[in-house]
């Protein structure tokens, strides 16, 4: 492979320890280290795909494992290990696999390797963090019932032969292929499930990189290029070294001291400084993490939608972001992340700041007797912006407010959400599970859905989502989802606040940054130089 | 002496059991009051009852008593004791990592940092104290007095950040770029963060920062103690006997002056273990301090319990050693 040789040759010249702001590299230390890409990471939770559901884990898992589909630069799914995934009715899907893929221990990547992973993840007895993502597969409810058998499997998963299997969903879903690109659907070797803990420490993957040694908890994870990998996207750097830090400020000091090559997430308070010093090697774009202010529609006082609209209109998102977050967020004007297929700019007309119109709407509504209680989990830095919102309401609408930030424990805060005990607007967030706009709609606003904390219940909305799920293709589904989003923009069960900001900064050792709209930085595809 | 040590060792048992019970009770009470911390693992997605209980069971937090406010969970306490002492099983954290592994890994870094700190504190601190004490009122005495006040008055975290961001990053980059310095120095000692390639060298500065405040205290303590003993009768007697000055100072004065210093260092050992939380955070050292901080903020009872139990044991052993040292330093002290 000419490319690999070229990278290796470049690696010889790379001074892995050179100061980041210097041009002349120390030639002595270079030969010893080779093409090591040193990456900032926080401690992952798990390295087995059935359990890894947090960002740092997924960044490592995606280099070590490969799934049925991957996402292209437009965020659309493309076949990866699957040869084809087909369905006539969007309910029963037939998956055919490509030949020739193996795990690093020699086991084949076949139909069983996918089925065993999904059955394991879906079974409540295994308490795997990714069980939730299996919820569309037929038989999920039986697998998740109290008293389910330890070896219970999905009624909806059937092996046809070694290289194909069928998936039956509990109801049609046109976007299902996109869902399969999530790392929770990656295959797992039998040896891995036989000794889960060992596999978590020294994963048995099927991707372009494999682990070198073991996961050194809290210190580092070293991956090295898997020369046996049969797929297209072979790794470029010789080694990926995830250096683990607890604190992003400490990691930034390491980056400045030339200890790191890529830093995903710049400390927000240092953003201005980073822009000045590393402006050419800084990537900044809206992320898909959604922050909203939910309204407890189960509370009588919040049932008038005019009031909800007025509350939203009286919030000056732009000013709050600039004053409190150093501009490191982007204001939301809809309910679906802007980089998602089907998302529309400005569909939420009540997200536009207009204190006079807000006041007019408020006067038309039944109004609310203050003080309105504003909820957030305490100690997490939410007090300031909630206060800014409250002050805005006070001046625009003349209503009093009170902060309710005395619950510090996030679990306890979520419990209040579960029990529908919020007595006023509450802060919560959401991140997408897969790149279909439905991921921002169904779980949050469908009647009785698992993350529907506002108590929103609108049969028309539920129906539109069902029609979208059952459409012939994802493209046909989008209009239905958009109509559903329009309903939200009118009913305002939650007030969209803002989208996060993805920031990546890299050192001079990296010549080309490769960033995917869905899976973010693809470390294995970065080009390095001296 | 042997019987004394055995008696002291036996006293460990109620201390450790008491400490475990206290932590067990407090962590259980916090769960009873604020709800099961396992809920946070599901994030914004509301888990079903079955999912919650499967997760709670797998993490050892499924006991019924954790839902009854005020229940001391005696059953769970004995279950934990049984696991800890009979099976040497301290449970796992929320990502299923055995607490014994967490402690073994973390402690190895923390001990390195603390040992560097203590060596620095004792060697430099005692030397500075002795020199200042012997030349009371001289230039060196003033130097020690002023510099120690300076160090004591600067909080460790301020010192740590300044050293990391200014010295190790900015000055360090100059050393690294110049290329004239050996790697272990420029990339090891001067690394702004802990570096696995240089497991000792990159811990030197964190150790020095951690030991700095205690060093100042040790120096002042030694100085005062020397000043007091140098005028004592037995020192005058030693001089009158015609002993060489080296022996008068080194054996007679210093040995007696060290008793308060040893007491201080013994107590300080605990403070250093605690102070390590801050230094480990600043310099990215994967030690025990960081772990316990994380465990407390995320409400992970088995981790808090496990780490603190080990710390209590370490502390007890160190203080036993200090008590034994008294007898070595001062022949008038006898334990039998």
């Amino acid at each position: 492979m000419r490319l690999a040789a070229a990278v290796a040759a470049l690696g010889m010249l790379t001074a892995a320890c050179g100061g980041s702001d210097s041009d002349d590299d120390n030639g002595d230390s270079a030969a010893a280290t080779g093409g090591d890409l040193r990456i900032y990471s926080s401690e992952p939770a798990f390295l087995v795909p059935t359990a890894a559901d947090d960002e740092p884990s997924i960044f490592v898992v995606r280099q070590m494992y490969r799934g049925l589909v991957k996402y292209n630069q437009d965020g659309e799914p493309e076949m990866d290990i699957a040869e084809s995934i087909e369905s006539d009715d969007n309910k029963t899907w037939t998956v055919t696999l490509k030949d020739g893929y193996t795990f690093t221990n020699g086991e084949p990547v076949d139909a069983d390797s996918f089925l065993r992973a999904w059955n394991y993840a879906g079974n409540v007895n295994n308490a795997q963090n990714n069980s939730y993502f299996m919820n569309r597969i037929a038989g999920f409810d039986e697998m998740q019932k109290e008293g389910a058998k330890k070896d219970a499997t999905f009624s909806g998963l059937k092996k046809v032969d070694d290289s194909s299997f069928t998936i039956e969903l509990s109801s049609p879903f046109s976007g299902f292929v996109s869902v399969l690109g999530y790392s929770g659907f990656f295959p797992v070797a039998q040896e891995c499930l036989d000794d889960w803990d060992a596999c978590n420490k020294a994963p048995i993957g099927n991707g372009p990189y494999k682990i070198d040694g073991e996961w050194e908890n809290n210190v580092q994870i070293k991956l090295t290029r898997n020369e046996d990998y049969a797929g297209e996207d072979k790794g470029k750097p010789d080694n990926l070294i995830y250096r683990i830090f607890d604190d992003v400020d400490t990691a930034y000091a390491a980056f400045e001291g030339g200890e790191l090559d890529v830093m995903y997430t710049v400390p927000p308070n240092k953003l201005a400084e980073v822009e000045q010093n590393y402006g050419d090697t800084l990537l900044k774009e809206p992320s898909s993490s959604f922050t909203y202010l939910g309204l407890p529609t189960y509370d009588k006082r919040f049932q008038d939608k005019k009031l909800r609209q007025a509350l939203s209109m009286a919030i000056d998102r732009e000013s709050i972001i600039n004053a409190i977050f150093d501009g490191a967020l982007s204001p939301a004007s809809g309910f679906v992340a802007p980089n998602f297929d089907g998302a529309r700019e400005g569909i939420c007309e009540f997200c536009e700041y207009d204190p006079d119109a807000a006041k007019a709407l408020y006067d038309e509504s039944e109004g609310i007797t203050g003080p309105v209680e504003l909820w957030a989990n305490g100690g997490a830095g939410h007090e300031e912006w909630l206060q800014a919102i409250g002050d805005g309401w006070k001046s625009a609408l003349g209503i009093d407010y009170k902060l309710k930030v005395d619950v510090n424990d996030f679990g306890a805060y979520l419990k209040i959400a579960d029990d529908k005990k919020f007595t006023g607007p509450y802060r919560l967030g959401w991140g997408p599970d897969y790149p279909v706009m439905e991921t921002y709609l169904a779980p949050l606003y469908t009647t009785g859905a698992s993350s529907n904390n506002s108590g929103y219940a609108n049969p028309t909305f539920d129906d539109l989502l069902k029609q979208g799920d059952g459409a012939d293709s994802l493209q046909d589904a989008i209009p239905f989802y958009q109509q559903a989003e329009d309903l939200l923009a009118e009913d305002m069960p939650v007030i969209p606040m803002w989208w996060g900001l993805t920031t990546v900064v890299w050192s001079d050792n990296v010549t080309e940054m490769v960033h995917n709209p869905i899976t973010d930085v693809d470390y294995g595809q970065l080009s390095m130089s001296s | 002496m042997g019987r004394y040590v055995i008696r002291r060792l036996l006293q460990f048992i109620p201390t450790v059991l008491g400490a475990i019970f206290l932590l067990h009770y407090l962590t259980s009470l916090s769960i009873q009051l604020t709800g099961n911390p396992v809920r946070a693992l599901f994030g914004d997605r509301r888990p079903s009852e079955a999912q919650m209980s499967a997760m709670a069971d797998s993490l050892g937090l499924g006991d019924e008593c954790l839902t009854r406010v005020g229940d001391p969970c005696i059953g769970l306490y004995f279950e934990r004791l049984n696991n800890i002492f009979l099976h040497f099983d301290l449970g796992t954290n929320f990502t299923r990592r055995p607490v014994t592994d967490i402690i073994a890994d973390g402690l190895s870094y923390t001990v390195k940092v603390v040992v560097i700190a203590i060596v620095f504190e004792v060697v430099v601190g005692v030397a500075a104290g002795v020199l200042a004490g012997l030349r009371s009122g001289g230039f060196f005495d003033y130097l020690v007095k002023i510099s120690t006040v300076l160090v004591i008055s600067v909080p460790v975290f301020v010192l740590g950040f300044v050293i990391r961001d200014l010295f190790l990053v900015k000055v360090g980059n100059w050393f690294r770029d110049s290329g004239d310095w050996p790697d272990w120095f420029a990339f090891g000692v001067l690394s702004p963060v802990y570096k696995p390639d240089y497991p000792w060298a990159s811990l030197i500065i964190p150790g020095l920062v951690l030991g700095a405040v205690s060093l100042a205290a040790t120096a002042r303590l030694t100085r005062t103690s020397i000043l007091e003993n140098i005028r004592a009768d037995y020192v005058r007697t030693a001089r009158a006997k015609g002993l060489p000055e080296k022996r008068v100072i080194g054996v007679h004065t210093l040995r007696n002056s060290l008793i308060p210093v040893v007491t201080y260092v013994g107590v300080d050992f605990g403070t250093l273990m605690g102070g390590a939380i801050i230094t480990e955070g600043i310099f990215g050292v994967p030690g025990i301090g960081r772990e316990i901080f994380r465990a407390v903020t995320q409400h992970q009872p088995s981790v808090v319990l496990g780490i603190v139990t080990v710390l209590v044991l370490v502390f007890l052993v160190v203080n036993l050693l200090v008590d034994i040292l008294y007898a070595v330093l001062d022949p008038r002290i006898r334990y039998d």
Side-chain angles (χ1 to χ4, degrees):
Chain A
M1 193 66 203
R2 192 157 31 139
L3 193 62
V7 171
L10 283 176
M12 298 295 283
L13 300 170
T14 304
C17 301
S20 58
D21 50 0
S22 84
D23 292 324
D24 51 340
D25 279 305
N26 181 347
D28 294 339
S29 63
T33 42
D36 291 353
L37 185 71
R38 298 159 305 160
I39 302 157
Y40 158 59
S41 172
S42 43
E43 170 86 341
F46 303 101
L47 295 182
V48 177
T50 52
D53 68 339
D54 56 315
E55 195 172 72
S57 302
I58 291 173
F59 268 128
V60 183
V61 164
R62 280 199 179 275
Q63 299 299 335
M64 279 195 292
Y65 294 86
R66 280 305 175 115
L68 295 173
V69 303
K70 60 186 177 188
Y71 303 110
N72 64 17
Q73 281 301 319
D74 298 322
E76 286 159 358
E78 268 178 15
M79 296 300 123
D80 195 357
I81 288 183
E83 180 74 49
S84 66
I85 303 173
E86 278 156 357
S87 172
D88 298 329
D89 54 2
N90 287 338
K91 191 162 189 264
T92 306
W93 299 79
T94 307
V95 179
T96 316
L97 302 173
K98 287 177 191 154
D99 283 338
Y101 287 91
T102 53
F103 286 98
T104 47
N105 68 347
E107 281 184 46
V109 179
D110 54 10
D112 284 322
S113 67
F114 285 93
L115 299 184
R116 81 169 72 94
W118 303 357
N119 281 324
Y120 187 82
N123 193 313
V124 69
N125 295 300
N126 299 323
Q128 297 293 292
N129 300 45
N130 277 329
S131 63
Y132 159 89
F133 294 90
M134 308 288 146
N135 65 0
R136 288 181 182 277
I137 304 174
F140 180 76
D141 292 341
E142 285 74 48
M143 298 270 284
Q144 287 286 320
K145 257 211 299 268
E146 195 117 26
K149 284 210 182 82
K150 272 196 163 31
D151 57 355
T153 53
F154 281 106
S155 58
L157 294 178
K158 292 206 176 65
K159 180 179 169 181
V160 179
D161 55 41
D162 276 348
S163 63
S164 61
F165 60 97
T166 58
I167 309 164
E168 193 200 332
L169 305 182
S170 40
S171 62
F173 181 40
S174 49
F176 188 62
V177 176
S178 282
V179 177
L180 291 173
Y182 172 63
S183 60
F185 288 93
F186 288 177
V188 167
Q190 183 59 48
E191 190 186 333
C192 187
L193 295 190
D194 291 344
D195 190 346
W196 197 97
D197 290 325
C199 180
N200 192 38
K201 197 91 175 135
I204 303 163
N206 66 327
Y209 283 88
K210 61 184 178 191
I211 194 142
D212 179 5
E214 279 190 346
W215 170 7
E216 296 169 53
N217 289 88
N218 294 314
V219 180
Q220 61 182 357
I221 298 170
K222 278 181 161 174
L223 304 186
T224 178
R225 196 169 44 233
N226 177 10
E227 304 295 353
D228 301 328
Y229 175 62
E232 303 162 340
D233 318 307
K234 290 195 193 300
K236 288 183 180 172
D238 290 345
N239 300 297
L240 303 180
I241 300 172
Y242 296 81
R243 295 274 303 272
I244 301 169
F245 293 88
D246 233 24
D247 174 43
V248 67
D249 286 308
T250 306
Y252 182 65
F255 178 80
E256 284 202 291
E259 289 291 322
L260 292 171
D261 293 316
V262 190
M263 215 176 142
Y264 183 81
T265 309
V266 170
N269 55 336
K270 296 263 166 61
L271 191 58
E273 183 190 321
V274 174
E275 267 184 303
Q276 183 148 32
N277 295 343
Y278 307 98
D280 300 337
T281 56
L282 173 70
L283 178 101
K284 244 175 79 176
E285 57 181 47
S287 80
S288 42
S289 84
F290 180 48
T291 300
Y292 65 86
L293 200 58
L295 297 168
T297 62
Y298 45 82
D299 183 327
K300 259 207 289 284
R301 297 174 302 154
F302 291 95
Q303 279 168 1
D304 183 358
K305 76 178 176 192
K306 284 214 169 100
L307 169 74
R308 303 199 294 260
Q309 293 164 350
L311 290 177
S312 175
M313 271 191 121
I315 298 174
D316 188 354
R317 293 167 181 74
E318 197 85 52
S319 305
I320 294 177
I321 290 172
N322 288 332
I324 297 173
F325 298 98
D326 297 317
L329 293 168
S330 69
S333 62
F335 298 78
V336 177
N339 56 337
F340 268 52
D341 210 7
R344 292 156 299 162
E345 193 70 24
I347 85 122
C348 170
E349 61 169 309
F350 300 110
C351 293
E352 192 86 27
Y353 176 58
D354 187 344
D356 297 332
K359 177 73 178 144
L361 264 172
Y362 180 75
D363 289 340
E364 281 174 44
S365 76
E366 288 162 16
I368 189 161
T369 39
V372 172
E373 291 181 318
L374 273 162
W375 286 75
N377 48 319
H382 299 301
E383 291 82 357
E384 228 181 322
W385 64 268
L386 283 180
Q387 199 167 1
I389 289 177
D391 290 338
W393 287 348
K394 205 172 189 172
S395 72
L397 313 175
I399 47 180
D400 234 350
Y401 74 96
K402 199 168 97 187
L403 292 189
K404 280 284 278 182
V405 289
D406 42 1
V407 182
N408 279 320
D409 181 52
F410 193 48
Y413 183 73
L414 292 168
K415 184 84 173 42
I416 299 175
D418 295 348
D419 298 344
K420 305 232 180 316
K421 292 259 174 70
F422 286 127
T423 52
Y426 56 90
R427 177 217 78 94
L428 268 177
W430 183 251
D433 299 331
Y434 38 81
V436 180
M437 67 185 286
E438 182 262 2
T439 190
Y440 282 103
L441 305 173
L444 290 167
Y445 316 107
T446 317
T447 311
S450 68
S451 303
N452 183 342
N453 296 311
S454 63
Y456 183 62
N458 183 342
T460 326
F461 178 89
D462 298 353
D463 199 48
L464 281 166
L465 278 184
K466 218 174 250 149
Q467 288 183 50
D469 290 355
D472 286 343
S473 70
L474 197 52
Q475 284 313 312
D476 295 330
I478 284 175
F480 293 110
Y481 295 147
Q482 288 179 336
Q483 285 176 49
E485 193 188 359
D486 290 340
L487 285 181
L488 296 179
E490 172 68 22
D491 290 344
M492 300 294 288
V494 311
I495 299 175
M497 290 305 302
W498 40 66
W499 303 100
L501 191 76
T502 300
T503 47
V504 192
V505 64
W506 55 94
S507 75
D508 295 339
N509 295 340
V510 176
T511 50
E512 196 201 344
M513 171 54 55
V514 180
H515 184 258
N516 184 288
I518 306 302
T519 55
D520 285 315
V521 181
D522 191 350
Y523 296 119
Q525 297 300 311
L526 299 192
S527 303
M528 295 182 70
S529 78
S530 56
Chain B
M1 187 68 125
R3 283 179 56 191
Y4 171 76
V5 172
I6 292 171
R7 214 167 51 232
R8 283 287 299 270
L9 286 174
L10 285 177
Q11 286 170 7
F12 283 14
I13 298 172
T15 316
V16 170
L17 290 185
I20 296 181
F21 181 76
L22 204 65
L23 284 165
H24 158 82
Y25 184 65
L26 289 175
T27 51
S28 302
L29 192 65
S30 113
I31 292 178
Q32 290 159 353
L33 290 173
T34 60
N36 204 316
V38 168
R39 172 63 187 87
L41 297 179
F42 293 91
D44 301 318
R45 300 178 189 92
R46 182 169 61 236
S48 67
E49 290 278 323
Q51 284 171 321
M52 261 295 270
S53 72
M55 191 62 94
D57 283 341
S58 78
L59 297 174
L61 293 175
D63 201 300
E64 270 295 297
C65 74
L66 292 173
T67 56
R68 293 189 292 265
V69 178
D71 190 328
C73 292
I74 295 295
L76 185 60
Y77 174 62
F78 283 107
E79 197 186 313
R80 280 178 167 159
L81 287 187
N82 178 38
N83 285 340
I84 295 176
F85 294 108
L86 298 181
H87 301 103
F88 202 62
D89 174 11
L90 297 175
T92 69
N93 71 357
F94 284 173
T95 61
R96 301 189 194 193
R97 196 166 168 232
V99 174
T100 41
D101 283 8
I102 294 177
I103 294 174
D105 281 0
L107 214 52
S108 71
Y109 299 105
T110 304
V111 165
K112 276 183 199 164
V113 178
V114 170
V115 163
I116 291 171
I118 287 204
V119 168
F120 177 54
E121 169 185 346
V122 170
V123 173
V124 182
V126 170
V130 169
L131 289 179
L134 293 179
R135 280 161 216 173
S136 161
F139 168 75
F140 195 78
D141 188 27
Y142 278 105
L143 183 73
V144 168
K145 274 205 284 192
I146 293 171
S147 61
T148 49
V149 168
L150 207 72
V151 173
I152 291 179
S153 56
V154 178
V156 177
F157 70 91
V158 175
L159 191 68
F161 280 123
V162 169
I163 289 195
R164 185 191 73 188
D165 290 344
L166 292 181
F167 181 65
L168 295 178
V169 171
K170 300 270 159 29
V171 181
N173 275 345
W174 181 83
F175 276 99
R176 284 182 278 271
D177 291 345
S178 80
D180 304 333
W181 300 82
D183 277 3
W184 66 265
F185 180 73
F187 297 103
V189 177
L190 293 184
S191 168
V193 292
Y194 169 72
K195 210 172 160 181
D197 302 346
Y198 296 100
W200 278 98
S202 59
L203 289 180
I204 291 177
I205 302 276
L208 299 190
V209 170
L210 180 62
V213 172
S214 311
L215 174 139
T218 309
R220 301 214 116 208
L221 211 57
T222 313
R223 175 183 170 274
T224 322
S225 202
I226 290 269
L227 277 180
E228 198 180 292
N229 283 322
I230 203 101
R231 295 186 186 89
D233 290 343
Y234 64 87
V235 175
R236 202 178 313 149
T237 311
R239 283 216 171 92
K241 278 197 297 189
L243 287 179
E245 188 67 10
K246 233 192 217 162
R247 203 168 157 78
V248 172
I249 300 297
V251 178
H252 290 253
T253 319
L254 188 58
R255 186 164 151 188
N256 276 288
S257 307
L258 281 183
I259 291 183
V261 178
V262 166
T263 310
Y264 173 74
V265 173
V267 176
D268 190 49
F269 188 82
T271 319
L272 288 179
M273 291 292 242
I277 296 184
I278 299 168
T279 20
E280 283 172 8
I282 295 173
F283 296 102
V285 181
I288 208 87
R290 248 177 35 162
E291 284 293 349
I292 194 157
F293 182 74
R294 191 168 11 191
V296 169
T297 51
Q298 296 176 351
H299 300 263
Q300 305 200 27
S302 359
V303 186
V304 177
L305 248 142
I307 295 180
V308 176
T309 306
V310 170
L311 290 185
V312 166
L313 275 173
V314 170
F315 199 62
L316 285 172
V317 170
V318 167
N319 276 282
L320 177 59
L321 289 179
V322 166
D323 285 347
I324 294 172
L325 259 183
Y326 286 159
V328 177
L329 290 173
D330 188 343
R332 286 171 299 186
I333 299 173
R334 294 248 189 281
Y335 288 119
D336 284 315

